Amino acid sequence: MGVRAAVAGASGYAGGEVLRILAGHPGFEIGTLTAGSNAGTELGAHQPHLRSLAGRTLAPTTPDALAGHDVVFLALPHGQSGPLAEKLGEDVLVVDCGADFRLADPADWTDFYGTPHAGTWPYGLPELPGQREALAGARRIAVPGCYPTAVTLALYPAFAAGLVEPDVVVVAASGTSGAGRSLKPHLLGSEVMGSVSAYGVGGVHRHTPEMIQNLSGVAGEPVTVSFTPTLAPMSRGILATCTAKTRPGVTLETLRDAYGLAYDGEPFVGLLPEGRWPATSMTLGANTALVQVAHDERAGRAVVVAAIDNLTKGTGGGAVQSANLALGLHEELGLTTIGVSP
Amino acid sequence: MGVRAAVAGASGYAGGEVLRILAGHPGFEIGTLTAGSNAGTELGAHQPHLRSLAGRTLAPTTPDALAGHDVVFLALPHGQSGPLAEKLGEDVLVVDCGADFRLADPADWTDFYGTPHAGTWPYGLPELPGQREALAGARRIAVPGCYPTAVTLALYPAFAAGLVEPDVVVVAASGTSGAGRSLKPHLLGSEVMGSVSAYGVGGVHRHTPEMIQNLSGVAGEPVTVSFTPTLAPMSRGILATCTAKTRPGVTLETLRDAYGLAYDGEPFVGLLPEGRWPATSMTLGANTALVQVAHDERAGRAVVVAAIDNLTKGTGGGAVQSANLALGLHEELGLTTIGVSP
Amino acid sequence: MGVRAAVAGASGYAGGEVLRILAGHPGFEIGTLTAGSNAGTELGAHQPHLRSLAGRTLAPTTPDALAGHDVVFLALPHGQSGPLAEKLGEDVLVVDCGADFRLADPADWTDFYGTPHAGTWPYGLPELPGQREALAGARRIAVPGCYPTAVTLALYPAFAAGLVEPDVVVVAASGTSGAGRSLKPHLLGSEVMGSVSAYGVGGVHRHTPEMIQNLSGVAGEPVTVSFTPTLAPMSRGILATCTAKTRPGVTLETLRDAYGLAYDGEPFVGLLPEGRWPATSMTLGANTALVQVAHDERAGRAVVVAAIDNLTKGTGGGAVQSANLALGLHEELGLTTIGVSP
Amino acid sequence: MGVRAAVAGASGYAGGEVLRILAGHPGFEIGTLTAGSNAGTELGAHQPHLRSLAGRTLAPTTPDALAGHDVVFLALPHGQSGPLAEKLGEDVLVVDCGADFRLADPADWTDFYGTPHAGTWPYGLPELPGQREALAGARRIAVPGCYPTAVTLALYPAFAAGLVEPDVVVVAASGTSGAGRSLKPHLLGSEVMGSVSAYGVGGVHRHTPEMIQNLSGVAGEPVTVSFTPTLAPMSRGILATCTAKTRPGVTLETLRDAYGLAYDGEPFVGLLPEGRWPATSMTLGANTALVQVAHDERAGRAVVVAAIDNLTKGTGGGAVQSANLALGLHEELGLTTIGVSP
């Protein structure tokens, strides 16, 4: 008898990915699926790849519809998770794939979202020092943003070991699914294919304060982050290129040692062998982050590249990984490290 | 203690897909991996997505290296499977992903391949009438070609029910992985992206006699097939559009009934609800074939469209499905019907 | 002093392509640009690739705004061209990129569009026998649909020479720009990339009667067309695979002779040398149709493949080619046969 | 009577792009085309998009074959341009699309290429201060690398105005055509599509010293460049994201003023209006660079994004632009600023 899980926002990309993983998870039983404007329609009309669930009818996203489950995954627009979570029992595990409860500092939230801060929940990145323990038994989890997942995994070992200066430049390419299923002209296939474009340039992307929060927490001092996201012609994947000045005496070996120390034994983060570099396709559909580090001696910089699937490790897989921990299941249950490639 | 499986040709796309599935299969234990020119290198250098196997060293493809396994999957160039299989024990299950043993008529083989015919093995398409039974206990299996898988599943129910004339036109789009990892200019990303092209036009594609064999077998009379493959800018997927004249009295209902009869209960073939049409992305990484049928009354034709992942249901997934049957395992073990999408 | 041209619907894909060509055309001067809901905004906000026109403000699409031009190109939704054209002077050349005036038989229009027929204008496919002459001096031109352009050029020589039976199967792949800039979920990049899908299956696509009209006209008898469009993961391009039974005695040589006869000297249609097959990328941004023919002796069929850029030869380039003829300019003026590749 | 031009390396991507532009250039007449291993074959077998030249036979790349032309464009592997150029007359304009003559400092060449330095030719980036004049009448031109073109145009105005610190981070995404038509597994369509990957990380990419040379020259002091190239799933295009710390008092207005000053009147560089960001598709097939700048106040950085078509402004278009200047033709002749989009 599995843990009974509901998914709110099941017709979107994030909700669909949570369902894709739950459908193959031996520890979960899939209960109610809800949607906003798609309520009343069949899941198969929106998520035709989820064959075994195609005939399920979507309920409206209400506390009543979501009641009676052990776990509720929320994949909703910003601002909707808080009011809903309040009406779900305190003993229900609520896993929020949205941004509402990720930030600790209300001022950060207000600066970037312009609305009142909903609160702060345990942060669902088990690879951060101490975080695996913090998630055990949790009943509220804020799933990290997709970009912050990649960037934090790329950089925290360097900060944990004190190897780099607290001034970071990140340029990341994302597949279009990161923008969700929103009907905007710049997300049309005709506009996206054959083109890489920049957006949210100049420090205005809403994932920026989350990166700063994570890295500053590890560094023990304020870290400055210059973050530029770009849109690449692929559906899934994030490749984050991250660089910071190295501190005196740091070498490639120092760097690799720090990353080895951080990631040896981590089930879902792989430090690649020297000479191999991450490609997003290596992680497609997998809960894997691949990391590689170089030392540019001329420029005096560590350059770290991380690849994830934004919907898997960056959203739905990360959500299930943390839910496993919260529920006392094996952390790896229902999750694969193997990508679909080529 | 699982069934012990070896994979010959592990550094290619077909071998990689077999391994991707085996790695998540609860009934198999992965033994020796072999390669041709890549022997001696690590699997991770060629298949970086297969994280848990990345450190395995590839052995040369020899009978000795493949000895001592319960199952050997062959993913080799044409002509290599026969000599190798002869040296593997008769009690070893040999599953050939290549073409060598698919055709029953030696003349077909010689016409299209120009070499002597190696023989005919049980055909690994369990959905064909009687074939599931034929595969139970088999020790040699010829995995169908990717195009014939899609086309046979698209058309056999119409022939089984006698609804269409034995003169078929098929135009299919394939992702580039169908051509394997061969270094040819027309397979370079720069040439492929943003472009659909035709190749093998005029009935010369080597998968044509296999389609004819399958459909004629079901129809009980010779079926003519005009087959045109095209190359689409995607890595995986086949979308086959198949059409034949309908016989008198045939309606959309007759057609849908025949497909419903054929596919109700089939775990890996889905007849879509009316109004929905297959897209290859719905099947990415899944052992699923999706089928839909229309009746064009003006043209007097049934039009059937099928989508598969050429590497999964069309190669590695089909191979494992048949191996499951041959070994007496549950047919669905280790296989998913759920695609990775979007 | 060039011919003064206005473009209605300048913020859409078809209008943008007309403008792209006009901007490099030595015989035209670009006048008023109009739009529907985008009226009042800058062209550069919608068509950032049209650098030299980026600062132009879009006027609303009204007869007044379009008055005072020698040529008006209409790139509007169905049903809007007729009322507008009535209010433009009879001496103004009106070139309609839409469907309203393509069909000769009002019943065809009503069957496929469900609204009253607007009328029939001279058909802008100069390669059809007699059509070049019919366009000279015309003041109303209906630009062919993109699919009918490819299919008619693929098949008419075979019909003109009486080499094939009047029963045709066409399966065509199109880039997503053929659907225009409409905000529909299935046109999002996330859905389109990595996927080929079928739509409008079973003879229901609105371009079907136009193909029948063209081919029947050349054949001198009714031609049946089974047409299946598919959507490919690319922005531009159509690859049409067309097949019909050959009549007795027809050989590859007969076929090639007929195509050579039809296309020798045609500036914008190229019969490829034997052994080479069209790819849509060869025609990107060019007013070129590339054609190749095979004879499948086993199946008794001619198989003809044609590639065009749906927006260029299939829309904007075809429009300018016909406008050149109507205005007495050199047919090739401002048009290139050279694609942008790779 | 046009200037007579030969192209060496006509079967590659760079040579093909030079030819695409020359074919539409009113001032040039296309003479001999040469190739290496493809000598003796028809151009159309390699460059089927170049319709009007398809029947040309490729000569071997020898001084004799290239003699008798006014201009010779070289699109050859590294190391071949020098010996060949020596045997072409001093009055012949030789335009080298390769790297051999770009670097001023022999040590830079040796560090990154490991062979003796061939020399230094006038640098074909007319937008650099004083460079337009330097190219007038030149008889040897080194065409800039594709990445350095984008990065230099992105950053030089900020350095010319003294607005940023001489320590730059660049992350750039390139289409696969930048790697040429080389048959390497990681350039296969199956590997490239749906994936962004990193390569040449850590300051080892050969275009790095060229960027440093250009920016240091403008800055008047040594500039450090951390450069990371990534490979994106598209054939053409570079999007370069470039950032440097701003000096005290610098604001967005200061930055925009500097870029306006640098690029007002530049025919091929466009500073976008505020709020719009470059996408590579806007420049497809055009000799255009699009630039936008932001000021990240929190991070204290200017972030500049530039988009070009790596084969056009980044190679063949840049080559023709400089050749126009050297020959006293109008700089814009035969070049368009309008991209092919969507």
Side-chain angles (χ1 to χ4, degrees):
Chain A
M1 195 63 166
V3 175
R4 196 167 156 77
V7 176
S11 62
Y13 291 159
E17 183 70 354
V18 170
L19 280 170
R20 184 179 75 82
I21 294 165
L22 293 184
H25 193 300
F28 284 98
E29 179 191 345
I30 298 175
T32 299
L33 311 182
T34 78
S37 58
N38 291 323
T41 64
E42 276 191 2
L43 184 70
H46 314 285
Q47 313 277 23
H49 61 296
L50 300 173
R51 292 290 302 152
S52 54
L53 303 167
R56 295 281 196 99
T57 299
L58 297 167
T61 302
T62 63
D64 280 357
L66 296 168
H69 296 82
D70 304 306
V71 190
V72 177
F73 291 92
L74 304 179
L76 302 170
H78 300 317
Q80 298 190 8
S81 301
L84 200 59
E86 279 182 19
K87 298 191 179 147
L88 301 171
E90 291 188 359
D91 54 335
V92 174
L93 171 59
V94 182
V95 183
D96 186 14
C97 298
D100 299 32
F101 296 94
R102 291 173 190 158
L103 297 180
D105 183 344
D108 278 347
W109 177 269
T110 307
D111 278 1
F112 280 83
Y113 291 84
T115 56
H117 188 223
T120 309
W121 287 357
Y123 190 70
L125 196 64
E127 291 85 1
L128 277 181
Q131 204 58 24
R132 187 162 277 123
E133 296 68 28
L135 291 165
R139 282 299 169 265
R140 293 291 184 272
I141 295 173
V143 179
C146 50
Y147 285 122
T149 297
V151 171
T152 305
L153 293 175
L155 285 175
Y156 104 74
F159 280 110
L163 305 182
V164 292
E165 300 291 339
D167 178 34
V168 166
V169 173
V170 175
V171 180
S174 173
T176 54
S177 64
R181 200 173 238 160
S182 41
L183 294 176
K184 296 178 183 162
H186 79 283
L187 296 176
L188 286 173
S190 300
E191 316 271 330
V192 163
M193 289 186 283
S195 192
V196 174
S197 58
Y199 71 101
V201 186
V204 301
H205 193 282
R206 290 172 164 178
H207 284 180
T208 310
E210 188 181 345
M211 296 176 197
I212 293 173
Q213 170 179 298
N214 293 350
L215 298 178
S216 300
V218 175
E221 62 180 322
V223 175
T224 303
V225 176
S226 163
F227 172 55
T228 306
T230 67
L231 198 64
M234 58 189 185
S235 180
R236 288 174 175 240
I238 285 178
L239 191 89
T241 303
C242 311
T243 176
K245 292 260 179 197
T246 42
R247 289 193 159 141
V250 170
T251 64
L252 180 58
E253 287 64 38
T254 333
L255 286 163
R256 283 195 67 86
D257 286 350
Y259 281 81
L261 188 68
Y263 291 138
D264 276 1
E266 273 299 338
F268 296 118
V269 186
L271 176 64
L272 288 174
E274 281 192 67
R276 296 189 200 150
W277 286 88
T280 62
S281 58
M282 300 172 186
T283 68
L284 189 90
N287 199 48
T288 301
L290 294 180
V291 175
Q292 182 59 292
V293 59
H295 188 218
D296 182 341
E297 294 183 18
R298 281 186 192 84
R301 285 183 168 272
V303 185
V304 195
V305 178
I308 61 167
D309 182 324
N310 60 304
L311 287 181
T312 316
K313 180 60 180 162
T315 307
V320 171
Q321 181 184 353
S322 289
N324 282 344
L325 286 167
L327 295 164
L329 301 173
H330 192 291
E331 183 178 345
E332 302 176 39
L333 206 64
L335 295 165
T336 183
T337 60
I338 292 189
V340 179
S341 178
Chain B
M1 195 62 167
V3 175
R4 195 165 157 78
V7 176
S11 63
Y13 292 158
E17 183 71 355
V18 170
L19 280 171
R20 185 180 72 83
I21 295 165
L22 293 185
H25 193 299
F28 284 97
E29 179 191 345
I30 298 176
T32 299
L33 310 182
T34 79
S37 57
N38 291 323
T41 63
E42 276 192 1
L43 184 70
H46 314 284
Q47 314 277 22
H49 61 297
L50 300 174
R51 294 288 303 152
S52 54
L53 303 167
R56 294 282 196 99
T57 298
L58 297 167
T61 302
T62 62
D64 279 357
L66 297 167
H69 295 83
D70 305 305
V71 190
V72 177
F73 291 92
L74 304 178
L76 301 170
H78 301 316
Q80 299 190 7
S81 300
L84 200 59
E86 278 182 18
K87 297 190 180 148
L88 300 172
E90 289 188 0
D91 54 336
V92 174
L93 172 58
V94 183
V95 183
D96 186 15
C97 297
D100 299 30
F101 295 95
R102 291 173 190 158
L103 296 179
D105 184 344
D108 278 347
W109 178 269
T110 308
D111 278 1
F112 280 83
Y113 291 85
T115 56
H117 187 223
T120 309
W121 286 357
Y123 190 70
L125 195 63
E127 291 83 1
L128 277 181
Q131 203 59 23
R132 189 162 275 123
E133 296 70 26
L135 292 165
R139 282 299 168 265
R140 294 291 184 273
I141 295 173
V143 180
C146 51
Y147 285 122
T149 297
V151 171
T152 305
L153 293 175
L155 285 175
Y156 104 74
F159 280 111
L163 304 183
V164 293
E165 299 291 338
D167 178 34
V168 166
V169 174
V170 175
V171 179
S174 174
T176 53
S177 64
R181 200 173 240 162
S182 40
L183 294 176
K184 296 179 183 161
H186 78 283
L187 296 177
L188 286 173
S190 300
E191 316 271 330
V192 163
M193 289 186 284
S195 192
V196 174
S197 59
Y199 71 101
V201 186
V204 301
H205 192 282
R206 289 171 164 181
H207 285 179
T208 310
E210 188 181 345
M211 296 176 196
I212 293 173
Q213 169 178 298
N214 293 351
L215 298 178
S216 299
V218 175
E221 63 180 321
V223 175
T224 303
V225 175
S226 162
F227 173 55
T228 307
T230 67
L231 197 64
M234 58 189 183
S235 180
R236 289 174 175 240
I238 286 178
L239 191 90
T241 303
C242 312
T243 176
K245 292 261 180 197
T246 44
R247 288 192 160 142
V250 171
T251 64
L252 180 58
E253 287 65 37
T254 331
L255 287 163
R256 284 195 66 86
D257 287 351
Y259 281 81
L261 188 67
Y263 292 137
D264 276 1
E266 273 299 340
F268 295 118
V269 186
L271 177 64
L272 289 175
E274 280 192 67
R276 295 189 201 150
W277 286 88
T280 62
S281 59
M282 299 172 186
T283 68
L284 189 91
N287 199 48
T288 301
L290 294 180
V291 175
Q292 182 58 292
V293 58
H295 188 217
D296 182 341
E297 295 183 18
R298 281 185 190 86
R301 287 182 168 273
V303 185
V304 196
V305 178
I308 61 167
D309 182 323
N310 59 303
L311 287 181
T312 317
K313 179 60 180 161
T315 305
V320 172
Q321 181 184 354
S322 289
N324 282 344
L325 285 166
L327 294 164
L329 301 173
H330 192 291
E331 183 177 345
E332 302 176 41
L333 206 65
L335 296 164
T336 182
T337 60
I338 293 190
V340 179
S341 178
Chain C
M1 194 60 166
V3 176
R4 196 168 156 78
V7 175
S11 62
Y13 291 158
E17 182 71 354
V18 169
L19 280 170
R20 185 180 73 84
I21 295 165
L22 293 184
H25 193 299
F28 284 97
E29 179 191 345
I30 298 175
T32 299
L33 310 182
T34 78
S37 57
N38 292 323
T41 64
E42 276 192 2
L43 184 69
H46 314 285
Q47 314 277 22
H49 61 296
L50 300 173
R51 292 289 304 152
S52 55
L53 302 166
R56 295 282 197 97
T57 300
L58 298 167
T61 301
T62 62
D64 280 358
L66 296 167
H69 297 84
D70 304 306
V71 190
V72 177
F73 290 92
L74 305 178
L76 301 170
H78 300 316
Q80 299 190 7
S81 300
L84 199 60
E86 277 182 19
K87 297 191 181 148
L88 301 171
E90 291 188 358
D91 55 337
V92 174
L93 171 58
V94 182
V95 183
D96 186 16
C97 297
D100 299 30
F101 296 95
R102 291 173 190 159
L103 296 179
D105 184 345
D108 278 347
W109 177 269
T110 308
D111 279 1
F112 281 82
Y113 291 85
T115 56
H117 188 223
T120 310
W121 287 358
Y123 189 71
L125 195 63
E127 291 84 1
L128 276 180
Q131 203 59 22
R132 189 161 274 124
E133 296 70 27
L135 291 165
R139 282 300 169 264
R140 294 292 185 271
I141 295 174
V143 179
C146 51
Y147 285 122
T149 296
V151 172
T152 305
L153 294 175
L155 285 175
Y156 103 75
F159 280 110
L163 304 182
V164 292
E165 300 291 339
D167 179 33
V168 166
V169 174
V170 175
V171 179
S174 174
T176 53
S177 64
R181 200 174 240 160
S182 39
L183 294 176
K184 296 179 184 161
H186 78 283
L187 297 176
L188 286 174
S190 300
E191 317 270 330
V192 163
M193 289 186 284
S195 191
V196 174
S197 58
Y199 71 102
V201 186
V204 301
H205 192 282
R206 288 171 165 180
H207 284 180
T208 310
E210 188 181 345
M211 296 177 197
I212 293 173
Q213 170 178 298
N214 292 352
L215 298 178
S216 299
V218 174
E221 62 179 321
V223 174
T224 303
V225 175
S226 164
F227 172 55
T228 305
T230 67
L231 197 64
M234 58 188 185
S235 179
R236 287 173 175 240
I238 285 178
L239 191 90
T241 302
C242 312
T243 176
K245 292 260 178 196
T246 44
R247 288 192 160 142
V250 171
T251 64
L252 179 58
E253 289 65 38
T254 333
L255 286 164
R256 284 195 66 86
D257 286 352
Y259 281 81
L261 188 68
Y263 292 137
D264 277 1
E266 273 299 339
F268 295 118
V269 186
L271 177 63
L272 289 175
E274 280 191 67
R276 295 189 201 151
W277 286 89
T280 61
S281 59
M282 300 172 186
T283 68
L284 189 91
N287 199 47
T288 301
L290 294 180
V291 175
Q292 182 58 291
V293 58
H295 188 218
D296 182 341
E297 294 183 19
R298 282 186 191 84
R301 286 184 168 273
V303 185
V304 195
V305 178
I308 61 168
D309 182 323
N310 59 305
L311 287 180
T312 317
K313 180 59 180 164
T315 307
V320 170
Q321 182 185 354
S322 289
N324 282 344
L325 286 167
L327 295 164
L329 301 174
H330 192 291
E331 183 178 345
E332 303 175 41
L333 206 64
L335 295 164
T336 183
T337 61
I338 292 188
V340 178
S341 177
Chain D
M1 195 60 165
V3 175
R4 196 165 156 78
V7 176
S11 62
Y13 292 158
E17 183 71 355
V18 169
L19 280 170
R20 185 180 73 82
I21 294 165
L22 293 184
H25 192 300
F28 284 97
E29 180 191 343
I30 298 175
T32 299
L33 311 182
T34 79
S37 58
N38 291 322
T41 63
E42 276 192 1
L43 184 69
H46 314 284
Q47 313 277 24
H49 62 295
L50 299 174
R51 292 289 304 152
S52 55
L53 303 166
R56 294 284 196 97
T57 299
L58 297 167
T61 301
T62 63
D64 280 358
L66 296 167
H69 296 83
D70 304 306
V71 190
V72 177
F73 291 92
L74 305 179
L76 302 170
H78 300 316
Q80 299 190 7
S81 300
L84 200 58
E86 278 182 19
K87 298 192 179 147
L88 302 171
E90 292 188 358
D91 55 335
V92 174
L93 172 57
V94 182
V95 183
D96 186 14
C97 298
D100 300 30
F101 296 95
R102 290 172 191 159
L103 296 179
D105 184 344
D108 278 347
W109 177 269
T110 308
D111 279 0
F112 281 83
Y113 292 86
T115 56
H117 188 224
T120 310
W121 287 357
Y123 190 70
L125 195 64
E127 291 85 0
L128 277 180
Q131 204 57 25
R132 188 161 275 123
E133 296 68 28
L135 291 165
R139 283 299 170 264
R140 294 291 185 271
I141 295 173
V143 179
C146 50
Y147 285 121
T149 297
V151 172
T152 306
L153 293 175
L155 285 175
Y156 104 73
F159 280 110
L163 305 182
V164 292
E165 300 291 339
D167 178 33
V168 165
V169 174
V170 175
V171 180
S174 173
T176 53
S177 65
R181 199 173 241 160
S182 39
L183 293 177
K184 296 179 183 161
H186 78 283
L187 297 176
L188 287 174
S190 300
E191 316 271 330
V192 163
M193 290 186 284
S195 192
V196 174
S197 59
Y199 70 102
V201 186
V204 301
H205 193 283
R206 289 171 164 180
H207 284 180
T208 310
E210 189 181 344
M211 296 176 197
I212 293 173
Q213 169 177 297
N214 292 351
L215 298 178
S216 300
V218 175
E221 62 180 322
V223 175
T224 303
V225 175
S226 163
F227 172 55
T228 306
T230 67
L231 197 64
M234 58 189 185
S235 179
R236 288 174 175 239
I238 286 178
L239 190 90
T241 302
C242 312
T243 177
K245 294 260 179 196
T246 43
R247 289 191 159 142
V250 170
T251 64
L252 180 58
E253 288 63 40
T254 333
L255 286 164
R256 285 196 65 87
D257 286 351
Y259 280 81
L261 188 69
Y263 291 137
D264 276 1
E266 273 300 337
F268 295 119
V269 186
L271 176 64
L272 289 175
E274 280 191 65
R276 294 189 200 151
W277 287 89
T280 62
S281 59
M282 300 173 185
T283 67
L284 189 91
N287 199 49
T288 300
L290 294 180
V291 175
Q292 181 59 292
V293 59
H295 187 219
D296 182 342
E297 295 183 17
R298 280 186 191 86
R301 287 183 167 273
V303 186
V304 196
V305 178
I308 62 167
D309 182 323
N310 59 303
L311 287 180
T312 316
K313 180 60 180 161
T315 307
V320 171
Q321 180 184 354
S322 289
N324 282 343
L325 286 166
L327 294 164
L329 301 173
H330 192 291
E331 184 178 343
E332 302 175 41
L333 207 63
L335 295 164
T336 183
T337 60
I338 292 189
V340 178
S341 177

